[in-house]
Amino acid sequence: MARNLFGGTSADVAESVSGARIPGAVGTVWDGPSEGARQITDLTDSSGAPVLQLVADNRGMVPPFYGPPTGSERLWVDFGAGRVGLLATNTGERLVQHQAAADPHQDRAYTNERLLNYVPINGSDLNVPAGSDWARWIVASTADINGSAWKLKTADNTDYTRLRNSGALLIDTIGVRAALCIGAPAYPANQTVVNVTNSKASTTTTASVFRVQGDGSVISAGTVTATNVGSARLFSGPNAPAVPRPGDVWVQYG
């Protein structure tokens, strides 16, 4: 802490018991008014030189001096008529400096340091330890089709991609870029890139009803339905249509 400034005002004077000023009086400085108080000797004058004795000037006024480096706000001086409390005279200046400082309590730096572990600030990196979850959104146990745990909006308040509280992901892009692009350059042919299951999502393919493999193969457990083109009909499945017509299309799989 910095030393605070004392003395030098019209109220800081060395007085006798009767209240008369005592020019040239020699006084002592204490950290309290009681008998058990500790005498302060680590003082300096206004230029920073050590003060061996606190001496009143020729008008009986206490000259400006700096208190101990502990930053004391109040000291007691004794010129022989009892101890008199002095308040630091630079409190106003220090308050102005404090208010103008960018982070006087270091609370902003502390908060930013803590936020790096929870919510990344602009331009920062978020380090997630292996085996841990970055964040968890707690939602109602019943399906909520309106609320969103995460939402992308534009300045005109238009909703785009949203992660619903129900777990549904709605993908709407801003502009004409692909709504969904999954890159899998290192996936082998037998590795599933897209997996739709009829149960809760898992890393296995035992419950898959639709899969896209690393080589682009599409594996579906059901039939493929498409709109007919003109008078043609589209069939799919392991067996050909029983009564085909000219122009019919049969996609065999399974």
Side-chain angles (χ1 to χ4, degrees):
M1 300 180 66
R3 296 174 182 266
N4 289 333
L5 184 65
F6 295 85
T9 71
S10 59
D12 302 325
V13 295
E15 296 179 335
S16 66
V17 176
S18 62
R21 295 189 182 185
I22 310 175
V26 177
T28 54
V29 182
W30 304 81
D31 65 359
S34 65
E35 291 297 328
R38 181 176 60 89
Q39 184 177 353
I40 304 298
T41 58
D42 186 6
L43 307 172
T44 69
D45 61 18
S46 57
S47 66
V51 173
L52 302 179
Q53 290 181 317
L54 189 62
V55 182
D57 64 12
N58 57 3
R59 297 169 297 173
M61 296 184 63
V62 179
F65 70 93
Y66 284 101
T70 55
S72 300
E73 296 290 339
R74 184 190 295 268
L75 295 176
W76 280 258
V77 296
D78 190 347
F79 286 94
R83 297 176 189 175
V84 178
L86 297 183
L87 288 174
T89 59
N90 61 338
T91 301
E93 291 87 344
R94 290 187 292 113
L95 176 59
V96 171
Q97 293 175 356
H98 180 84
Q99 291 174 327
D103 193 8
H105 299 287
Q106 296 299 305
D107 55 320
R108 297 180 184 176
Y110 175 83
T111 301
N112 286 342
E113 182 182 351
R114 298 281 75 77
L115 286 177
L116 287 176
N117 297 322
Y118 299 97
V119 179
I121 58 177
N122 184 32
S124 66
D125 296 325
L126 179 66
N127 296 316
V128 181
S132 67
D133 298 331
W134 169 55
R136 301 182 182 92
W137 281 263
I138 307 300
V139 298
S141 56
T142 55
D144 181 357
I145 62 174
N146 296 317
S148 298
W150 185 89
K151 180 185 290 187
L152 176 65
K153 300 180 70 172
T154 53
D156 62 359
N157 225 26
T158 302
D159 291 344
Y160 283 90
T161 298
R162 289 92 74 199
L163 176 60
R164 293 293 197 192
N165 290 344
S166 61
L169 178 62
L170 284 62
I171 301 177
D172 290 308
T173 61
I174 303 173
V176 295
R177 295 187 179 277
L180 179 62
C181 180
I182 301 176
Y187 277 39
N190 61 347
Q191 175 68 52
T192 301
V193 179
V194 177
N195 186 23
V196 180
T197 70
N198 56 11
S199 62
K200 293 185 68 174
S202 67
T203 57
T204 66
T205 59
T206 55
S208 294
V209 295
F210 179 86
R211 300 199 308 273
V212 178
Q213 302 296 96
D215 63 351
S217 300
V218 177
I219 304 173
S220 175
T223 59
V224 177
T225 303
T227 303
N228 289 338
V229 180
S231 59
R233 298 181 302 173
L234 178 65
F235 297 88
S236 62
N239 302 315
V243 185
R245 298 177 184 174
D248 286 352
V249 178
W250 169 41
V251 180
Q252 183 181 15
Y253 68 87

